[in-house]
């Protein structure tokens, strides 16, 4: 059973374009995190959102947590080749061992930005 | 300074062999993990230890045995390797309850 559904699975765009990646679930999360993984490396945390409706910005990246804490989105403005990578969302589920650090990962969105 | 380090980074071995992957974290975290990432990039938790105590043990063949000699180390031993074990194995750590997980660079295991 896949707790977190990410879409799209693959995204190939030109430099300068905008894009949005979605992370959806029927479960409620106590927190949701976004990671980026580059080839040959482990995932690196970008942001954690914990409050329903929360919006966080990291330069050209905007992260939003849904009001009901069941979904999240990542929007990138004016994408650059350096944004290329695998973007993973991960959620800590309420009442399912979240205090023990258990995270459920989505399958990821592979983003390629062409110059 | 590498926060979570794991060795070896690359491992090619024959079916039936036994191999180990070592992991160390210098972040002072209480919780350590082993994740497996398959060829489709799906990242799935295998084990988690909190202060040397096993707290998460997903449906993993018993050929996989984690060992935590202290809270800074979590090693993964795999017996009787099979072709399907080929994957990238990530060690990670966190300081509960922040749940922010710090990953190592991964160990690429290829079973031939």
């Amino acid at each position: 059973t896949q707790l977190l559904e990410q879409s799209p699975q693959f995204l190939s765009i030109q430099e300068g374009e905008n894009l949005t990646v979605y992370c959806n679930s029927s479960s409620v999360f106590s927190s949701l995190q976004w990671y980026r993984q580059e080839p040959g490396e482990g995932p690196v945390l970008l942001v954690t959102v914990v409050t329903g409706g929360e919006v966080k910005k990291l330069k050209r990246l905007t992260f939003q947590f849904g009001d009901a804490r069941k979904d999240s989105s990542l929007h990138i403005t004016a994408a650059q080749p350096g944004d290329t990578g695998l973007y993973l969302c991960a959620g800590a589920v309420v009442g399912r061992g979240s205090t023990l650090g258990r995270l459920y990962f989505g399958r990821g969105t592979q983003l390629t930005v062409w110059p | 300074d590498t926060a979570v380090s794991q060795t070896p980074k690359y491992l090619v071995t024959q079916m039936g062999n036994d191999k180990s992957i070592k992991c160390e974290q210098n972040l002072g975290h209480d919780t350590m993990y082993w994740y497996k990432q398959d060829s489709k990039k799906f990242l799935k938790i295998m084990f988690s230890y909190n202060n040397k105590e096993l707290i998460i043990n997903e449906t993993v063949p018993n050929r996989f045995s984690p060992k935590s000699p202290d809270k800074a180390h979590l090693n993964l031993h795999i017996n009787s390797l099979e072709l399907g074990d080929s994957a990238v194995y990530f060690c990670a750590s966190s300081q509960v309850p922040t749940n922010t997980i710090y990953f190592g660079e991964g160990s690429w295991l290829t079973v031939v």
Side-chain angles (χ1 to χ4, degrees):
Chain A
T1 303
Q2 189 63 33
L3 205 60
L4 277 165
E5 297 291 340
Q6 265 187 260
S7 60
Q9 186 177 357
F10 298 97
L11 195 53
S12 183
I13 61 172
Q14 291 293 129
E15 183 176 3
E17 293 184 18
N18 301 332
L19 67 111
T20 302
V21 176
Y22 299 94
C23 182
N24 297 300
S25 177
S26 57
S27 298
V28 177
F29 298 101
S30 59
S31 67
L32 197 138
Q33 302 176 9
W34 286 92
Y35 291 80
R36 182 169 72 197
Q37 184 179 10
E38 298 187 16
E41 298 182 6
V44 176
L45 180 70
L46 295 173
V47 77
T48 300
V49 285
V50 296
T51 306
E54 181 176 3
V55 176
K56 281 192 174 179
K57 291 192 175 183
L58 187 65
K59 297 183 180 179
R60 294 175 294 99
L61 278 60
T62 301
F63 304 86
Q64 185 161 7
F65 201 11
D67 291 341
R69 291 185 292 141
K70 292 183 178 181
D71 53 83
S72 181
S73 64
L74 158 60
H75 182 79
I76 302 179
T77 303
Q80 299 177 359
D83 296 327
T84 294
L86 178 70
Y87 289 81
L88 296 158
C89 66
V93 180
V94 174
R96 290 177 66 172
S98 60
T99 58
L100 297 175
R102 182 192 290 258
L103 286 181
Y104 294 87
F105 280 83
R107 288 189 173 269
T109 295
Q110 181 63 53
L111 171 65
T112 303
V113 182
W114 300 98
Chain B
D1 287 343
T2 303
V4 181
S5 59
Q6 52 185 110
T7 56
K9 181 157 187 175
Y10 300 101
L11 185 57
V12 181
T13 186
Q14 290 187 325
M15 276 185 0
N17 284 350
D18 303 337
K19 291 294 178 185
S20 293
I21 307 172
K22 295 185 177 181
C23 179
E24 177 182 6
Q25 55 96 1
N26 62 6
L27 297 168
H29 289 165
D30 291 332
T31 306
M32 296 187 70
Y33 312 81
W34 278 108
Y35 280 84
K36 179 180 180 181
Q37 189 171 46
D38 62 23
S39 58
K40 295 184 178 179
K41 304 295 185 183
F42 181 45
L43 199 60
K44 187 175 181 182
I45 192 168
M46 299 174 68
F47 302 102
S48 175
Y49 273 74
N50 187 54
N51 280 321
K52 301 193 300 176
E53 180 183 351
L54 180 66
I55 56 172
I56 297 175
N57 185 352
E58 293 293 285
T59 307
V60 176
N62 57 16
R63 298 181 295 104
F64 290 79
S65 53
K67 287 188 180 175
S68 182
D70 55 63
K71 74 173 192 177
H73 295 82
L74 180 61
N75 304 321
L76 183 65
H77 187 75
I78 314 171
N79 290 326
S80 302
L81 279 157
E82 301 177 356
L83 293 177
D85 297 332
S86 296
V88 185
Y89 292 85
F90 285 100
C91 178
S93 72
S94 71
Q95 187 63 42
V96 180
T98 64
N99 288 343
T100 299
I101 293 185
Y102 296 84
F103 287 87
E105 293 189 339
S107 294
W108 268 251
L109 172 64
T110 302
V111 182
V112 296

